[in-house]
Amino acid sequence: MRILVIGASGHIGSVVASTFESHGHEVLAASRSGEHTVDITDPASVRALFNGIGELDAVVVAAGSVPFAPLTELTRDDYVTAFTSKALAQIDIARTALEHVRDGGSITLTSGVLAREPIATGAAAAVANGAIESFVVTAAAEAPRGIRINAVSPNVLESSADLHALFAGQRPVPDVEIGRAYALAVEGLVRGRVITA
Ligand SMILES: NC(=O)c1ccc[n+]([C@@H]2O[C@H](COP(=O)([O-])OP(=O)(O)OC[C@H]3O[C@@H](n4cnc5c(N)ncnc54)[C@H](OP(=O)(O)O)[C@@H]3O)[C@@H](O)[C@H]2O)c1
Protein backbone atom coordinates (compact mmCIF):
# COMPACT_ATOMS: atom_id res chain seq x y z
CA MET A 1 0.00 0.00 0.00
CA ARG A 2 0.97 3.63 -0.51
CA ILE A 3 0.35 5.25 2.90
CA LEU A 4 0.60 8.95 3.79
CA VAL A 5 1.47 9.44 7.49
CA ILE A 6 0.99 13.02 8.66
CA GLY A 7 2.99 13.64 11.85
CA ALA A 8 5.38 10.83 10.92
CA SER A 9 8.27 12.25 12.96
CA GLY A 10 6.34 12.29 16.25
CA HIS A 11 5.97 9.70 19.01
CA ILE A 12 2.92 8.04 17.47
CA GLY A 13 3.68 8.82 13.82
CA SER A 14 7.14 7.28 13.96
CA VAL A 15 5.69 4.05 15.37
CA VAL A 16 3.02 4.08 12.65
CA ALA A 17 5.58 4.72 9.91
CA SER A 18 7.98 2.00 11.07
CA THR A 19 5.12 -0.48 11.56
CA PHE A 20 3.89 -0.03 7.99
CA GLU A 21 7.42 -0.01 6.54
CA SER A 22 8.09 -3.31 8.33
CA HIS A 23 4.88 -4.66 6.73
CA GLY A 24 6.27 -3.83 3.27
CA HIS A 25 4.21 -0.72 2.53
CA GLU A 26 5.45 2.53 0.98
CA VAL A 27 5.23 5.26 3.64
CA LEU A 28 5.12 8.93 2.68
CA ALA A 29 6.14 11.00 5.71
CA ALA A 30 4.60 14.45 6.20
CA SER A 31 4.84 17.17 8.83
CA ARG A 32 5.83 20.83 8.95
CA SER A 33 9.47 19.82 8.49
CA GLY A 34 9.17 16.39 6.88
CA GLU A 35 9.88 14.87 3.47
CA HIS A 36 6.45 16.17 2.46
CA THR A 37 5.69 19.48 4.16
CA VAL A 38 2.28 20.47 5.44
CA ASP A 39 0.76 22.62 8.17
CA ILE A 40 -2.41 20.81 9.17
CA THR A 41 -3.89 24.00 10.63
CA ASP A 42 -3.87 25.61 7.15
CA PRO A 43 -6.46 24.11 4.76
CA ALA A 44 -4.60 25.50 1.72
CA SER A 45 -1.43 23.72 2.85
CA VAL A 46 -3.40 20.47 3.30
CA ARG A 47 -4.85 20.80 -0.22
CA ALA A 48 -1.38 21.49 -1.67
CA LEU A 49 0.01 18.36 0.00
CA PHE A 50 -2.69 16.13 -1.45
CA ASN A 51 -2.59 17.76 -4.89
CA GLY A 52 1.14 17.02 -5.13
CA ILE A 53 1.30 13.52 -3.77
CA GLY A 54 -0.68 11.31 -6.17
CA GLU A 55 -3.15 8.53 -5.41
CA LEU A 56 -3.02 6.95 -1.98
CA ASP A 57 -4.25 3.71 -0.46
CA ALA A 58 -4.37 5.12 3.05
CA VAL A 59 -3.94 8.31 5.06
CA VAL A 60 -3.04 8.36 8.77
CA VAL A 61 -3.04 11.58 10.81
CA ALA A 62 -0.96 11.52 14.01
CA ALA A 63 -0.72 15.26 14.63
CA GLY A 64 -2.80 17.88 16.40
CA SER A 65 -2.02 19.96 19.45
CA VAL A 66 -4.24 21.11 22.31
CA PRO A 67 -3.77 23.48 25.26
CA PHE A 68 -3.65 21.97 28.76
CA ALA A 69 -4.68 24.07 31.79
CA PRO A 70 -6.86 23.73 34.91
CA LEU A 71 -10.58 23.86 34.15
CA THR A 72 -10.99 27.22 35.89
CA GLU A 73 -8.18 28.72 33.79
CA LEU A 74 -9.09 27.37 30.34
CA THR A 75 -10.42 30.23 28.25
CA ARG A 76 -12.90 30.16 25.39
CA ASP A 77 -9.94 30.75 23.08
CA ASP A 78 -8.27 27.62 24.48
CA TYR A 79 -11.30 25.53 23.52
CA VAL A 80 -11.35 27.13 20.05
CA THR A 81 -7.63 26.36 19.70
CA ALA A 82 -8.12 22.75 20.77
CA PHE A 83 -10.98 22.30 18.33
CA THR A 84 -9.30 24.00 15.37
CA SER A 85 -5.74 22.70 15.89
CA LYS A 86 -6.65 19.08 16.50
CA ALA A 87 -10.26 18.21 15.60
CA LEU A 88 -10.95 20.57 12.70
CA ALA A 89 -7.41 20.08 11.33
CA GLN A 90 -7.94 16.31 11.20
CA ILE A 91 -11.47 16.70 9.80
CA ASP A 92 -10.09 18.99 7.04
CA ILE A 93 -7.54 16.31 6.19
CA ALA A 94 -10.25 13.64 6.05
CA ARG A 95 -12.44 15.85 3.80
CA THR A 96 -9.54 16.48 1.44
CA ALA A 97 -8.28 12.88 1.55
CA LEU A 98 -11.69 11.63 0.37
CA GLU A 99 -10.81 13.05 -3.08
CA HIS A 100 -7.37 11.42 -3.19
CA VAL A 101 -7.73 7.98 -1.62
CA ARG A 102 -8.42 5.11 -4.00
CA ASP A 103 -11.69 3.16 -3.97
CA GLY A 104 -11.78 0.99 -0.84
CA GLY A 105 -8.88 2.87 0.79
CA SER A 106 -8.81 4.24 4.32
CA ILE A 107 -8.44 7.37 6.43
CA THR A 108 -7.34 7.02 10.06
CA LEU A 109 -7.48 9.91 12.54
CA THR A 110 -5.98 10.08 16.06
CA SER A 111 -7.96 11.13 19.13
CA GLY A 112 -6.87 9.97 22.60
CA VAL A 113 -7.82 8.52 25.96
CA LEU A 114 -8.98 11.92 27.25
CA ALA A 115 -12.22 11.44 25.31
CA ARG A 116 -13.16 8.77 27.87
CA GLU A 117 -10.95 9.24 30.95
CA PRO A 118 -10.41 12.50 32.87
CA ILE A 119 -7.08 13.99 33.87
CA ALA A 120 -6.47 17.35 35.50
CA THR A 121 -5.99 20.07 32.84
CA GLY A 122 -7.48 17.87 30.09
CA ALA A 123 -10.90 19.41 29.38
CA ALA A 124 -9.98 21.14 26.09
CA ALA A 125 -8.16 18.04 24.87
CA ALA A 126 -11.21 15.97 25.76
CA VAL A 127 -13.41 18.20 23.58
CA ALA A 128 -11.08 17.81 20.59
CA ASN A 129 -10.81 14.04 21.01
CA GLY A 130 -14.55 13.63 21.43
CA ALA A 131 -15.20 15.64 18.27
CA ILE A 132 -12.86 13.41 16.26
CA GLU A 133 -14.45 10.24 17.62
CA SER A 134 -17.97 11.47 16.87
CA PHE A 135 -16.93 12.55 13.38
CA VAL A 136 -15.53 9.16 12.30
CA VAL A 137 -18.66 7.26 13.31
CA THR A 138 -20.92 9.31 11.04
CA ALA A 139 -18.40 10.14 8.31
CA ALA A 140 -17.62 6.45 7.85
CA ALA A 141 -21.28 5.68 7.33
CA GLU A 142 -21.49 8.28 4.53
CA ALA A 143 -18.04 7.93 2.95
CA PRO A 144 -18.12 7.34 -0.82
CA ARG A 145 -16.39 4.64 -2.94
CA GLY A 146 -16.02 2.16 -0.07
CA ILE A 147 -13.48 4.37 1.71
CA ARG A 148 -13.13 3.39 5.37
CA ILE A 149 -12.75 6.04 8.10
CA ASN A 150 -11.65 5.21 11.66
CA ALA A 151 -9.94 6.81 14.65
CA VAL A 152 -7.29 5.36 16.92
CA SER A 153 -7.70 6.54 20.52
CA PRO A 154 -4.42 5.81 22.34
CA ASN A 155 -3.73 5.95 26.03
CA VAL A 156 -0.55 7.78 27.03
CA LEU A 157 2.44 6.19 25.32
CA GLU A 158 5.16 4.39 27.26
CA SER A 159 7.60 6.53 25.27
CA SER A 160 5.92 9.81 26.33
CA ALA A 161 7.46 9.62 29.82
CA ASP A 162 7.11 13.39 30.28
CA LEU A 163 3.30 12.92 30.35
CA HIS A 164 3.10 9.96 32.75
CA ALA A 165 2.70 12.04 35.93
CA LEU A 166 -0.44 13.64 34.43
CA PHE A 167 -1.94 10.23 33.66
CA ALA A 168 -1.87 8.80 37.19
CA GLY A 169 -3.33 5.29 37.30
CA GLN A 170 -3.46 4.90 33.52
CA ARG A 171 -1.55 2.07 31.83
CA PRO A 172 0.99 3.54 29.38
CA VAL A 173 0.74 1.80 26.02
CA PRO A 174 3.77 0.13 24.40
CA ASP A 175 4.71 0.86 20.78
CA VAL A 176 3.66 -2.63 19.65
CA GLU A 177 0.05 -1.93 20.73
CA ILE A 178 0.08 1.42 18.92
CA GLY A 179 1.26 -0.32 15.76
CA ARG A 180 -1.42 -3.00 16.14
CA ALA A 181 -4.21 -0.42 16.47
CA TYR A 182 -3.21 1.48 13.32
CA ALA A 183 -2.69 -1.80 11.43
CA LEU A 184 -6.26 -2.78 12.30
CA ALA A 185 -7.51 0.53 10.93
CA VAL A 186 -5.42 0.50 7.73
CA GLU A 187 -4.90 -3.18 6.86
CA GLY A 188 -8.14 -4.52 8.38
CA LEU A 189 -11.73 -4.13 7.24
CA VAL A 190 -13.20 -2.02 10.05
CA ARG A 191 -15.00 1.26 9.42
CA GLY A 192 -16.50 3.87 11.73
CA ARG A 193 -14.57 2.47 14.69
CA VAL A 194 -12.81 4.20 17.54
CA ILE A 195 -9.97 1.75 18.14
CA THR A 196 -8.58 2.04 21.66
CA ALA A 197 -4.92 1.30 22.35
N1 LIG B 1 1.96 10.87 22.97
C1 LIG B 1 0.90 10.37 23.60
O1 LIG B 1 1.03 9.74 24.68
C2 LIG B 1 -0.47 10.52 23.01
C3 LIG B 1 -1.53 9.75 23.53
C4 LIG B 1 -2.81 9.86 22.98
C5 LIG B 1 -3.03 10.73 21.92
N2 LIG B 1 -2.00 11.47 21.44
C6 LIG B 1 -2.30 12.36 20.30
O2 LIG B 1 -1.62 11.90 19.15
C7 LIG B 1 -1.24 13.00 18.33
C8 LIG B 1 0.28 12.89 18.11
O3 LIG B 1 0.90 12.90 19.39
P1 LIG B 1 2.48 12.68 19.55
O4 LIG B 1 2.75 12.54 21.02
O5 LIG B 1 2.95 11.63 18.60
O6 LIG B 1 2.98 14.12 19.09
P2 LIG B 1 4.48 14.61 18.82
O7 LIG B 1 5.47 13.60 19.28
O8 LIG B 1 4.56 16.01 19.34
O9 LIG B 1 4.55 14.65 17.20
C9 LIG B 1 3.71 15.49 16.48
C10 LIG B 1 3.94 15.25 15.00
O10 LIG B 1 3.08 16.09 14.26
C11 LIG B 1 3.84 17.03 13.50
N3 LIG B 1 3.12 18.31 13.58
C12 LIG B 1 2.90 19.07 14.68
N4 LIG B 1 2.17 20.15 14.36
C13 LIG B 1 1.92 20.06 13.03
C14 LIG B 1 1.23 20.88 12.10
N5 LIG B 1 0.63 22.04 12.47
N6 LIG B 1 1.16 20.48 10.81
C15 LIG B 1 1.77 19.33 10.41
N7 LIG B 1 2.43 18.50 11.24
C16 LIG B 1 2.51 18.88 12.54
C17 LIG B 1 5.23 17.05 14.13
O11 LIG B 1 6.26 17.34 13.19
P3 LIG B 1 6.71 18.86 12.86
O12 LIG B 1 7.05 19.51 14.17
O13 LIG B 1 7.88 18.68 11.93
O14 LIG B 1 5.55 19.50 12.18
C18 LIG B 1 5.34 15.58 14.53
O15 LIG B 1 5.67 14.79 13.40
C19 LIG B 1 -1.64 14.28 19.08
O16 LIG B 1 -2.87 14.73 18.56
C20 LIG B 1 -1.81 13.80 20.52
O17 LIG B 1 -2.78 14.55 21.20
C21 LIG B 1 -0.72 11.38 21.94
Side-chain angles (χ1 to χ4, degrees), residues 38-39 42-53 92-93 95-96 99-100:
V38 64
D39 179 351
D42 175 359
S45 171
V46 170
R47 277 195 304 277
L49 170 71
F50 280 97
N51 286 338
I53 214 159
D92 277 337
I93 291 167
R95 293 171 52 245
T96 309
E99 298 166 20
H100 296 270

Short mmCIF file of all heavy atoms in Angstrom, two decimals, residues 38-39 42-53 92-93 95-96 99-100:
data_model
loop_
_atom_site.label_atom_id
_atom_site.label_comp_id
_atom_site.label_asym_id
_atom_site.label_seq_id
_atom_site.Cartn_x
_atom_site.Cartn_y
_atom_site.Cartn_z
N VAL A 38 3.67 20.05 5.31
CA VAL A 38 2.28 20.47 5.44
C VAL A 38 2.10 21.10 6.82
O VAL A 38 2.75 20.70 7.78
CB VAL A 38 1.31 19.26 5.30
CG1 VAL A 38 1.50 18.23 6.41
CG2 VAL A 38 -0.14 19.72 5.24
N ASP A 39 1.23 22.11 6.88
CA ASP A 39 0.76 22.62 8.17
C ASP A 39 -0.71 22.26 8.26
O ASP A 39 -1.54 22.80 7.52
CB ASP A 39 0.96 24.14 8.25
CG ASP A 39 0.48 24.70 9.57
OD1 ASP A 39 -0.17 23.96 10.36
OD2 ASP A 39 0.73 25.90 9.83
N ASP A 42 -3.64 24.73 8.31
CA ASP A 42 -3.87 25.61 7.15
C ASP A 42 -4.49 24.77 6.02
O ASP A 42 -3.80 23.98 5.37
CB ASP A 42 -2.52 26.20 6.72
CG ASP A 42 -2.64 27.03 5.45
OD1 ASP A 42 -3.76 27.15 4.89
OD2 ASP A 42 -1.61 27.56 5.01
N PRO A 43 -5.79 24.93 5.78
CA PRO A 43 -6.46 24.11 4.76
C PRO A 43 -5.81 24.20 3.38
O PRO A 43 -5.78 23.21 2.64
CB PRO A 43 -7.89 24.65 4.73
CG PRO A 43 -8.08 25.30 6.06
CD PRO A 43 -6.74 25.82 6.48
N ALA A 44 -5.25 25.37 3.03
CA ALA A 44 -4.60 25.50 1.72
C ALA A 44 -3.34 24.63 1.67
O ALA A 44 -3.03 24.02 0.64
CB ALA A 44 -4.24 26.97 1.46
N SER A 45 -2.62 24.56 2.78
CA SER A 45 -1.43 23.72 2.85
C SER A 45 -1.82 22.24 2.75
O SER A 45 -1.14 21.45 2.09
CB SER A 45 -0.70 24.01 4.18
OG SER A 45 0.33 23.09 4.39
N VAL A 46 -2.91 21.87 3.38
CA VAL A 46 -3.40 20.47 3.30
C VAL A 46 -3.76 20.14 1.85
O VAL A 46 -3.38 19.08 1.33
CB VAL A 46 -4.60 20.27 4.25
CG1 VAL A 46 -5.27 18.93 4.00
CG2 VAL A 46 -4.16 20.40 5.70
N ARG A 47 -4.47 21.04 1.18
CA ARG A 47 -4.85 20.80 -0.22
C ARG A 47 -3.61 20.67 -1.11
O ARG A 47 -3.53 19.80 -1.97
CB ARG A 47 -5.75 21.93 -0.75
CG ARG A 47 -7.22 21.77 -0.38
CD ARG A 47 -8.11 22.70 -1.22
NE ARG A 47 -7.74 24.10 -1.10
CZ ARG A 47 -8.12 24.91 -0.13
NH1 ARG A 47 -8.90 24.44 0.83
NH2 ARG A 47 -7.75 26.17 -0.09
N ALA A 48 -2.61 21.54 -0.87
CA ALA A 48 -1.38 21.49 -1.67
C ALA A 48 -0.66 20.16 -1.48
O ALA A 48 -0.14 19.58 -2.43
CB ALA A 48 -0.46 22.66 -1.29
N LEU A 49 -0.64 19.66 -0.26
CA LEU A 49 0.01 18.36 0.00
C LEU A 49 -0.66 17.27 -0.83
O LEU A 49 0.01 16.52 -1.54
CB LEU A 49 -0.09 18.02 1.50
CG LEU A 49 0.32 16.59 1.87
CD1 LEU A 49 1.83 16.41 1.73
CD2 LEU A 49 -0.12 16.24 3.30
N PHE A 50 -1.98 17.20 -0.74
CA PHE A 50 -2.69 16.13 -1.45
C PHE A 50 -2.61 16.31 -2.97
O PHE A 50 -2.48 15.32 -3.70
CB PHE A 50 -4.14 16.05 -0.98
CG PHE A 50 -4.29 15.32 0.33
CD1 PHE A 50 -4.36 16.00 1.53
CD2 PHE A 50 -4.33 13.93 0.36
CE1 PHE A 50 -4.47 15.32 2.73
CE2 PHE A 50 -4.45 13.24 1.55
CZ PHE A 50 -4.52 13.94 2.74
N ASN A 51 -2.66 17.55 -3.44
CA ASN A 51 -2.59 17.76 -4.89
C ASN A 51 -1.24 17.33 -5.47
O ASN A 51 -1.16 16.97 -6.64
CB ASN A 51 -2.85 19.23 -5.22
CG ASN A 51 -4.32 19.58 -5.08
OD1 ASN A 51 -5.18 18.69 -5.13
ND2 ASN A 51 -4.62 20.86 -4.87
N GLY A 52 -0.18 17.35 -4.62
CA GLY A 52 1.14 17.02 -5.13
C GLY A 52 1.59 15.60 -4.88
O GLY A 52 2.70 15.23 -5.27
N ILE A 53 0.77 14.79 -4.27
CA ILE A 53 1.30 13.52 -3.77
C ILE A 53 0.81 12.28 -4.53
O ILE A 53 1.32 11.18 -4.36
CB ILE A 53 0.98 13.39 -2.25
CG1 ILE A 53 2.12 12.66 -1.55
CG2 ILE A 53 -0.35 12.72 -1.99
CD1 ILE A 53 2.18 12.90 -0.07
N ASP A 92 -10.46 18.42 8.35
CA ASP A 92 -10.09 18.99 7.04
C ASP A 92 -9.26 18.00 6.23
O ASP A 92 -9.44 17.87 5.02
CB ASP A 92 -9.26 20.28 7.25
CG ASP A 92 -10.13 21.50 7.49
OD1 ASP A 92 -11.31 21.49 7.08
OD2 ASP A 92 -9.62 22.47 8.08
N ILE A 93 -8.35 17.31 6.90
CA ILE A 93 -7.54 16.31 6.19
C ILE A 93 -8.43 15.19 5.67
O ILE A 93 -8.30 14.76 4.51
CB ILE A 93 -6.43 15.76 7.12
CG1 ILE A 93 -5.40 16.86 7.39
CG2 ILE A 93 -5.77 14.53 6.50
CD1 ILE A 93 -4.44 16.54 8.51
N ARG A 95 -11.61 15.33 4.90
CA ARG A 95 -12.44 15.85 3.80
C ARG A 95 -11.63 15.92 2.51
O ARG A 95 -12.10 15.54 1.43
CB ARG A 95 -12.98 17.24 4.14
CG ARG A 95 -13.99 17.22 5.30
CD ARG A 95 -14.34 18.62 5.77
NE ARG A 95 -14.74 19.49 4.69
CZ ARG A 95 -14.07 20.56 4.29
NH1 ARG A 95 -12.96 20.93 4.89
NH2 ARG A 95 -14.51 21.28 3.29
N THR A 96 -10.39 16.38 2.62
CA THR A 96 -9.54 16.48 1.44
C THR A 96 -9.11 15.10 0.96
O THR A 96 -9.10 14.82 -0.25
CB THR A 96 -8.30 17.34 1.76
OG1 THR A 96 -8.75 18.56 2.37
CG2 THR A 96 -7.51 17.66 0.51
N GLU A 99 -10.96 12.85 -1.63
CA GLU A 99 -10.81 13.05 -3.08
C GLU A 99 -9.54 12.39 -3.62
O GLU A 99 -9.33 12.37 -4.83
CB GLU A 99 -10.74 14.56 -3.38
CG GLU A 99 -12.00 15.31 -3.00
CD GLU A 99 -11.76 16.82 -2.98
OE1 GLU A 99 -10.79 17.28 -3.61
OE2 GLU A 99 -12.54 17.52 -2.32
N HIS A 100 -8.68 11.90 -2.74
CA HIS A 100 -7.37 11.42 -3.19
C HIS A 100 -7.08 9.97 -2.83
O HIS A 100 -6.06 9.43 -3.26
CB HIS A 100 -6.27 12.32 -2.61
CG HIS A 100 -6.34 13.73 -3.11
ND1 HIS A 100 -5.67 14.16 -4.23
CD2 HIS A 100 -7.04 14.80 -2.66
CE1 HIS A 100 -5.93 15.45 -4.45
NE2 HIS A 100 -6.76 15.86 -3.51
#
